[in-house]
Amino acid sequence: MTSTFPNISISTERLVLRPLDTDDVPALAAMMNDDQVAAWTDVPQPFTEQAAHGWITEHAPAERAAGRGLDLAVTEFLTQRLVGVIQLTKTNWHVRSTELSYIIAPWARGEGYASEAALATAQWLFGDQKLERIELRTAADNTASQQVAQKIGCISEGVLRNACIAHVRTDDGGWSDIRTDFIVWSLLPEDIEGADGHLADTGGFTGYTDWN
């Protein structure tokens, strides 16, 4: 039987991580059309609201049901505004490992939300889900993403040469692929002991029963 992630909501001091909902469609589409997101991810451009709806109603539930991963909306606790997305992919339940990535909306950058959300997710994965390894991959020139990895305690394991496709703007306003390196990071349970922003026992985790 394939293991799957449970329905979950994760709370921190400033954020709530919860399943994506169709109410998130406009904000998700706007976030994914940002130039920084386009440069460092393979999200199709332009990213339409139809694509956002498909991600929320089809892709995310299918990935979770198959046991491959989990997509969580990152929202502000006070305003409920969507400020980012956390994704878990390539989950291996036998090895008890997963790959974590994060995207922060342009209107919410500079607030430390990426590290807060990533650390909360890691603590939940290690504590509640009993995972033993989280892997992150950052493009060689994506210094902002690398800073998040370092801040939550990740250890750089090496470089996958020429393994990443990034994107740059062309003169006509489109996008062109460029090859670059991936930096591979790992996070183990002992790496986050004493890390800032820890959650209080299991009080930061609540069930989310309305997620398909």
Side-chain angles (χ1 to χ4, degrees):
M1 181 176 178
T2 300
S3 296
T4 60
F5 290 112
N7 296 343
I8 194 71
S9 175
I10 303 172
S11 299
T12 74
E13 182 179 351
R14 301 184 297 168
L15 302 173
V16 176
L17 283 63
R18 58 159 175 77
L20 287 162
D21 183 84
T22 52
D23 288 343
D24 299 319
V25 164
L28 182 63
M31 179 171 63
M32 292 300 160
N33 279 309
D34 174 67
D35 276 5
Q36 289 297 314
V37 175
W40 301 118
T41 74
D42 284 328
V43 172
Q45 295 295 324
F47 193 81
T48 64
E49 291 196 1
Q50 182 179 359
H53 188 272
W55 179 355
I56 293 168
T57 62
E58 299 174 18
H59 175 76
E63 289 296 291
R64 176 180 171 271
R68 291 188 293 264
L70 181 68
D71 291 15
L72 293 171
V74 180
T75 65
E76 288 178 331
F77 175 75
L78 292 177
T79 66
Q80 301 185 31
R81 180 178 63 160
L82 182 73
V83 296
V85 174
I86 289 281
Q87 283 191 290
L88 305 176
T89 58
K90 303 175 184 175
T91 305
N92 186 318
W93 292 99
H94 176 66
V95 178
R96 305 212 65 81
S97 68
T98 194
E99 184 174 323
L100 184 149
S101 60
Y102 33 80
I103 297 173
I104 296 298
W107 52 84
R109 291 178 189 147
E111 300 292 336
Y113 286 159
S115 54
E116 185 172 333
L119 180 60
T121 304
Q123 290 173 321
W124 172 69
L125 289 170
F126 291 144
D128 187 87
Q129 297 300 292
K130 308 302 180 187
L131 264 62
E132 296 292 337
R133 172 183 169 88
I134 298 172
E135 186 171 302
L136 290 77
R137 298 188 179 195
T138 63
D141 294 326
N142 191 350
T143 55
S145 186
Q146 293 162 28
Q147 289 169 355
V148 172
Q150 292 172 327
K151 188 172 181 180
I152 67 173
C154 292
I155 303 300
S156 176
E157 293 186 330
V159 176
L160 299 179
R161 296 185 301 160
N162 222 27
C164 175
I165 300 294
H167 311 94
V168 294
R169 279 287 191 186
T170 58
D171 292 339
D172 62 2
W175 292 94
S176 177
D177 293 352
I178 58 169
R179 299 198 71 92
T180 186
D181 300 336
F182 261 139
I183 300 175
V184 179
W185 308 79
S186 67
L187 191 67
L188 306 184
E190 57 266 30
D191 295 331
I192 63 170
E193 292 179 0
D196 292 336
H198 64 279
L199 301 177
D201 299 321
T202 58
F205 310 136
T206 57
Y208 198 97
T209 57
D210 297 328
W211 187 21
N212 293 330

